[in-house]
Every structure is written in structure tokens, then in C-alpha cells.
């Protein structure tokens, strides 16, 4: 049973480019969460999605960041016009459904902005 | 003030020692408490999941929650070099799925 899958594992972008991060949840999981981990900091919640719905985006920066979880395919976290401060590890987690279900994390995507 | 406070360490102990890791939190809405282990450049891995106050044991690991003092602990018995990792506490309210993490404590178990 495959776990949460994220790709790419490493992504390098120049300032002003777009970064697109993908997350495939565990089989049978319909809830996806994105977290960001800056150097020397804990994980910070960004957004919580169910299929075709954004449930909670209270942790998302107001500009340049967007997320989706389409009916078919992986969840996508998109960062437009990246800046150096966006360099971080981005983790996706998934859960079966209920609010307090365990969240299982993927290996993360490490974004470096040059 | 951060909602979840955790000493970043590093904490260095000899193999076989009992390790105590702690967090404090300020949000009374938190009802569920977790400990994750994160190896360098890997994703967090769930170790323990507890609801409300009390103890929970799983092998060498014991999680303890004291809601009256807003204090959560993880004890590791007979620590091994393979336990060397960063340990993250996380809290969850009962009505939302947004995990709030501590900054993590880096643990080094030496031979």
C-alpha cells in the first residue's frame, strides 16, 4: 500500500518563475493538507482540501499561492512568481476523511529559489 | 507567543537512556495530541496519537497529556541510535483538521 507521494522531490526555480508541486494521497484518502517547513522552524499549515473543494485556506499567503484537488489526479500547490523567501520544504499529508483522523505525511518537495 | 512551544535542543543522550521530550500549548481548544518523528530530509512519521488527558504506551514510547497544565510529553525508554531524529509535537482542535506543530526537538543518541 503506497504512502503519500509527492513530486518532484527537489525543485529549483529562478525568481519570478512558477513552481508546481504535486501530491497523490494514500489510497482511500480523500482529504489532503499542505504544510510548509522553513529552515529551523516547525511545520506550518497552509491549506486543507477535499476533492474539488478548498475547506480551509487560512494558512495560505494571500498572493501568489493557490491549491487545488481535482476530481481526477493529484493535488497541486502552485506558487507564482517565486521569491527567495519561498525556499522551503513543502509537505503534503492525507487522511481518510473524518476531521480528527490521523494525517500521514509524504516525503516533501524541497523548493530552492535562486 | 506561539500556540505550541517546544525546546529545539539539541538533546544528546547515551544509548539506553530514558529520553523525555516536552511541549506546552496555549490554546484550550486543542483536544488531540500527536508526536511525529522526522529524520533528516524526510517527511514526518506519526509515533503517538492521544486524545485529552492521560497516558498512552506503545513499545518503548509513552505519550502523556496533562490538559490542566497544557503540557504534553513523550518518553522513550532504552533509547537507540536509530532514535536520533527530530521529534515534533502537534495539536489538533476537535473541530478542525489544522495541525499546529511545535518547532521540534533534535535528539541525538550516542553509542
Amino acid at each position: 500500500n503506497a504512502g503519500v507521494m509527492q513530486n518532484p522531490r527537489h525543485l529549483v526555480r529562478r525568481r519570478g518563475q512558477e513552481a508546481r508541486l504535486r501530491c497523490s494521497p494514500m489510497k482511500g484518502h480523500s482529504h489532503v493538507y499542505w504544510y510548509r517547513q522553513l529552515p529551523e522552524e516547525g511545520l506550518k499549515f497552509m491549506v486543507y482540501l477535499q476533492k474539488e473543494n478548498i475547506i480551509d485556506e487560512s494558512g495560505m499567503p494571500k498572493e501568489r499561492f493557490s491549491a487545488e484537488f481535482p476530481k481526477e489526479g493529484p493535488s497541486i500547490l502552485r506558487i507564482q512568481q517565486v521569491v527567495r523567501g519561498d525556499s522551503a520544504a513543502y509537505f503534503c499529508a492525507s487522511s481518510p476523511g473524518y476531521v480528527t483522523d490521523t494525517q500521514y505525511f509524504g516525503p516533501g518537495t524541497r523548493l530552492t529559489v535562486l | 507567543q506561539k500556540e505550541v512551544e517546544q525546546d529545539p535542543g539539541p538533546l544528546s543522550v547515551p544509548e539506553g537512556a530514558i529520553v523525555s521530550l516536552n511541549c506546552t500549548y496555549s490554546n484550550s481548544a486543542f483536544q488531540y495530541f500527536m508526536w511525529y518523528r522526522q529524520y533528516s530530509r524526510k517527511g514526518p512519521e506519526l509515533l503517538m496519537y492521544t486524545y485529552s488527558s492521560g497516558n498512552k504506551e506503545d513499545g518503548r514510547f509513552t505519550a502523556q497529556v496533562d490538559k490542566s497544565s497544557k503540557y504534553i510529553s513523550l518518553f522513550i525508554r532504552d533509547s537507540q541510535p536509530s532514535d536520533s531524529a527530530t521529534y515534533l509535537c502537534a495539536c489538533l482542535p476537535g473541530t478542525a483538521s489544522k495541525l499546529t506543530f511545535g518547532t521540534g526537538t533534535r535528539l541525538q543518541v550516542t553509542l
Side-chain angles (χ1 to χ4, degrees):
Chain A
N1 186 17
V4 177
M5 300 177 70
Q6 290 187 249
N7 65 81
R9 294 293 307 278
H10 301 275
L11 183 61
V12 179
R13 286 288 178 265
R14 297 191 180 280
R15 280 179 296 169
Q17 291 184 320
E18 178 179 287
R20 193 171 294 200
L21 289 62
R22 286 177 289 279
C23 168
S24 295
M26 286 179 71
K27 188 176 180 181
H29 288 193
S30 58
H31 295 225
V32 165
Y33 315 81
W34 287 93
Y35 293 82
R36 177 165 64 174
Q37 188 173 39
L38 293 166
E40 306 304 322
E41 292 189 22
L43 287 98
K44 299 278 194 255
F45 169 82
M46 299 181 75
V47 63
Y48 162 37
L49 310 106
Q50 296 177 22
K51 287 280 187 184
E52 301 184 281
N53 282 304
I54 297 174
I55 306 302
D56 181 352
E57 57 181 346
S58 59
M60 286 278 270
K62 293 285 185 277
E63 297 176 351
R64 301 187 297 108
F65 285 72
S66 63
E68 62 176 7
F69 189 15
K71 187 176 179 181
E72 301 291 337
S75 175
I76 306 285
L77 179 68
R78 186 179 290 111
I79 311 172
Q80 295 178 302
Q81 299 176 312
V82 296
V83 301
R84 289 221 172 106
D86 296 331
S87 294
Y90 292 82
F91 291 95
C92 168
S94 72
S95 70
Y98 192 66
V99 161
T100 54
D101 275 346
T102 299
Q103 295 181 25
Y104 296 90
F105 282 79
T109 293
R110 278 160 183 80
L111 172 66
T112 301
V113 179
L114 301 176
Chain B
Q1 183 192 3
K2 293 180 181 177
E3 284 190 286
V4 181
E5 299 273 3
Q6 186 174 9
D7 187 333
L11 177 63
S12 183
V13 301
E15 183 180 7
I18 296 174
V19 176
S20 172
L21 303 165
N22 309 292
C23 289
T24 59
Y25 64 94
S26 57
N27 189 342
S28 298
F30 291 146
Q31 299 289 331
Y32 300 85
F33 306 93
M34 282 136 273
W35 284 95
Y36 284 85
R37 177 174 62 194
Q38 186 176 25
Y39 291 111
S40 181
R41 308 191 76 77
K42 302 287 187 187
E45 169 196 8
L46 181 71
L47 283 176
M48 301 290 280
Y49 186 124
T50 54
Y51 169 67
S52 198
S53 286
N55 290 4
K56 184 175 181 179
E57 188 174 319
D58 184 1
R60 296 185 296 112
F61 299 92
T62 300
Q64 208 169 69
V65 176
D66 183 348
K67 291 192 70 180
S68 63
S69 58
K70 297 187 174 67
Y71 196 82
I72 55 179
S73 302
L74 178 71
F75 299 96
I76 307 174
R77 290 183 297 281
D78 188 24
S79 55
Q80 305 293 312
S82 58
D83 294 329
S84 299
T86 296
Y87 289 80
L88 302 160
C89 61
C91 306
L92 186 67
T95 55
S97 291
K98 181 166 62 175
L99 282 171
T100 301
F101 283 88
T103 53
T105 299
R106 193 151 49 96
L107 171 68
Q108 181 74 37
V109 180
T110 57
L111 291 169

